[in-house]
Amino acid sequence: MSLSLDKLRLLRRQAGDATAAPASGPAIAPGRGSAAADTGAPGDTGNAPLPAAANDARARTPAPASVFGWVEQEVRHKPTGAAARETAPAVTAVPVPAPALRKPEIGGLRRLLGLRDRGLGTATPRENAKDRHVPGEEIAPGLFLIESFVTQAIPTEPLSLAFAKRDGEQVQPQDLLFFDTETTGLAGGTGTRAFMIGAADWHTHPERGDGLRIRQLLMTTMAAETAMLREFAGWLQPSTVFSSYNGRCYDAPLLKTRYRLARQRCPITPLDHVDLLFPTRRRYRGTWENCRLATIERQLLQIVREDDLPGSEAPAAWLNYLRGGSAVNLRRVAEHNHQDVVTLALLMRRLVAEEQRDRETLALQAIDAV
């Protein structure tokens, strides 16, 4: 913002500066009265440089006595117009090259966004996904049933639940349903769903005889969850007793939530549940490094898994398949779930036998003490 000499003098008088000249008769410094005086030649437009005499007069001008005087001196002696443009140093504009535009990679964007091509209502697998085979039989759109059978003797007597601190209670072997789920995450909540439910029960096969029947439900689309929950509910009877490993705190509440969200009657709440994690901890805590199911089956049941996919990688395997990836790891998830429910049946029998042996030992010690 520029100030004229008249405005500057008015400000000086308002501030009480007695040396300010009247605004109506501005004092003209020698050699500064007009454009002709600035240039030293009549009719000049002020584009020529200042003469040497003017520079000497400016050098002989006494220093201002106040701030207003200094500002007035600067306003008088500051070149304006074309003279200011000529005295300013020339600035050469250096052209800045425009950044090169990177050509977007469509494949990378699709992988980043988790999208896949869609055609005729079905997912088109990626080029590197050569194996899309899902085990089992498709019993509903996007829902597969995997069945297998392990030949073994079925307990002939009711199993005591004394090992679970339930003295006097027994359960019929055929009523037990050993189950485990594979979920999209371990945090729980309404955003987590079970994409696989595995269940095993003692069953007499018409051709293969007695053994452990393993049934697994695997959904390959989000829309198949309703059919999966309905199918699992059909496996349950009023006399069914659940048996799991930490299922009372995780698997059962998760399935109850999914039934409520699907607006289906929850068949899990009225049924009994025997969780094998807590009696296993009471008996074997401190014996091994932890009480995870994989540790228990390796140390107690002498079961060694080969090429087992950790349960923590199950969510990634399923989501990768949904995005058009390979089904190799998804089949490994099914094998992992299969072994889990088989291990639960073996662990149940082992805990019952250990509790019975401990009670017999205590009875013998009591007899000897008498």
Side-chain angles (χ1 to χ4, degrees), residues 11 52 67 124 148 163 180 183 190 238 243 245 251 305 315 334 364-365:
L11 290 175
V67 175
T124 302
S148 58
F163 69 92
D180 183 52
T183 65
T190 57
S243 182
Y245 204 79
D251 300 272
R305 302 194 186 193
L364 291 176
Q365 293 176 354

Side-chain angles (χ1 to χ4, degrees), residues 13 42 50 60 91 98-99 107 115 124 133 152 161 189 219 222 235 249 257 263 314 316 325:
R13 287 199 305 274
L50 294 175
R60 290 193 300 271
V91 179
L115 301 178
T124 302
H133 173 67
Q152 60 179 238
L161 299 181
M219 63 179 194
M222 294 288 189
W235 296 353
C249 299
T257 300
R263 299 183 180 275

Side-chain angles (χ1 to χ4, degrees), residues 181-199:
T181 63
E182 304 298 334
T183 65
T184 57
L186 300 177
T190 57
T192 304
R193 65 184 69 201
F195 66 87
M196 174 178 285
I197 303 177

Side-chain angles (χ1 to χ4, degrees), residues 160-190:
S160 173
L161 299 181
F163 69 92
K165 300 297 182 180
R166 297 169 61 171
D167 294 337
E169 296 187 30
Q170 295 179 338
V171 59
Q172 295 293 333
Q174 289 82 359
D175 292 338
L176 284 169
L177 185 72
F178 306 96
F179 84 104
D180 183 52
T181 63
E182 304 298 334
T183 65
T184 57
L186 300 177
T190 57

Side-chain angles (χ1 to χ4, degrees), residues 171-172 174-177 236-242 270-272:
V171 59
Q172 295 293 333
Q174 289 82 359
D175 292 338
L176 284 169
L177 185 72
L236 308 180
Q237 303 294 330
S239 60
T240 299
V241 177
F242 286 116
L271 300 180
D272 194 7

Side-chain angles (χ1 to χ4, degrees), residues 8-9 29 35 78-79 144 180 186 189 195 206 222 226 236 243 266 287-288 315 338 358-359:
L8 182 60
R9 293 189 184 109
K78 183 177 181 181
F144 288 78
D180 183 52
L186 300 177
F195 66 87
M222 294 288 189
T226 302
L236 308 180
S243 182
C266 177
T287 305
W288 301 296
H338 175 277
D358 290 347
R359 290 178 178 270

Side-chain angles (χ1 to χ4, degrees), residues 37-65:
D38 289 342
T39 58
D44 200 344
T45 59
N47 295 330
L50 294 175
N55 292 333
D56 295 341
R58 183 175 181 179
R60 290 193 300 271
T61 302

